Amino acid sequence: MVARQVYFSCIVAFMVVSTGCVNVTFPEPMPANKKELDRFPESWHGTWKSNGDEFEEQDEEVLVIMEKRIRGNAGSDDLVLGENCVLKKMGRRLVLSLPQTQSPRYTVLVASRSGNELEIQSFEPKKRGALDSWEAILGHDQVVKIHKNNDPTDKLKEVQLNPKSTCQFKKLLRRGGSDRVVYTKVSSD
């Protein structure tokens, strides 16, 4: 489905307006004040395939995580740590921040791994109650909604979240609206 196809596009920071994808951005790589990692942990290396019985095989996403890069499906650009993305650790999770091409802000993805399963979480403003939840956590003035043509009656194009602390960022993950995609590690026989 379109949501599945758009998901990897979000990973490589090509948020395609025509699909209805609304960017959710942050002022800096998240979580703030955490050290950048220069490589993925070795246990994360390998080929990961998206799960989901409702999707056809040609819609499956494949991620190959290497020491300093992520390779996606054919035709997508690699994400290279220190070049076009920033990796930070938050507890047992890894947070990947992707700089926006048209602003000094970042799109953020959060990944957690358990055995041979990898879950990637992204912020989704179209989830029911997401915007209200984000405003309750951050305060109304820290959630900026940008509409197409700067017209508040027009389509929402970007939501800028501005957490003041790692604690607020964690609350956004727990209580805010998000999408999740689960991947399974492909055995290397």
Side-chain angles (χ1 to χ4, degrees):
M1 177 126 193
V2 173
R4 176 67 92 189
Q5 293 167 342
V6 168
Y7 202 82
F8 191 74
S9 296
C10 291
I11 290 175
V12 295
F14 290 114
M15 304 292 219
V16 181
V17 175
S18 64
T19 63
C21 192
V22 177
N23 285 330
V24 176
T25 63
F26 292 82
E28 63 186 299
M30 290 285 123
N33 303 318
K34 296 283 185 178
K35 181 179 145 192
E36 287 184 28
L37 302 176
D38 63 355
R39 61 183 40 99
F40 286 94
E42 193 170 327
S43 61
W44 290 60
H45 295 185
T47 302
W48 301 82
K49 189 185 249 185
S50 63
N51 296 346
D53 297 332
E54 71 273 18
F55 301 105
E56 309 233 351
E57 194 161 316
Q58 68 265 22
D59 291 339
E60 289 180 333
E61 295 171 10
V62 175
L63 299 177
V64 180
I65 300 177
M66 296 170 257
E67 182 178 16
K68 295 186 179 222
R69 74 176 55 231
I70 297 176
R71 179 166 292 136
N73 289 348
S76 63
D77 293 333
D78 287 4
L79 296 175
V80 181
L81 297 181
E83 287 183 24
N84 59 358
C85 61
V86 175
L87 183 67
K88 293 186 176 189
K89 188 171 180 165
M90 185 176 68
R92 294 178 43 183
R93 295 181 271 193
L94 295 181
V95 182
L96 192 65
S97 298
L98 307 154
Q100 295 294 292
T101 56
Q102 297 178 0
S103 78
R105 298 185 61 85
Y106 292 82
T107 299
V108 172
L109 300 162
V110 180
S112 58
R113 186 184 150 276
S114 179
N116 287 334
E117 285 201 341
L118 175 68
E119 180 181 278
I120 298 179
Q121 180 178 356
S122 66
F123 292 90
E124 178 49 65
K126 292 183 178 180
K127 289 275 187 181
R128 185 178 179 165
L131 290 169
D132 291 336
S133 178
W134 295 340
E135 287 177 346
I137 292 166
L138 299 177
H140 183 73
D141 60 329
Q142 297 301 312
V143 178
V144 179
K145 299 172 203 147
I146 299 177
H147 295 267
K148 189 175 179 183
N149 301 318
N150 290 326
D151 178 357
T153 61
D154 211 336
K155 189 173 171 181
L156 184 64
K157 143 176 132 170
E158 180 181 358
V159 177
Q160 297 180 344
L161 300 178
N162 300 294
K164 293 183 179 190
S165 67
T166 299
C167 181
Q168 282 187 330
F169 179 68
K170 287 179 180 179
K171 285 181 183 176
L172 289 172
L173 289 171
R174 281 194 306 270
R175 298 192 331 212
S178 63
D179 273 342
R180 298 177 188 328
V181 175
V182 177
Y183 295 81
T184 301
K185 194 168 193 177
V186 176
S187 63
S188 55
D189 295 332

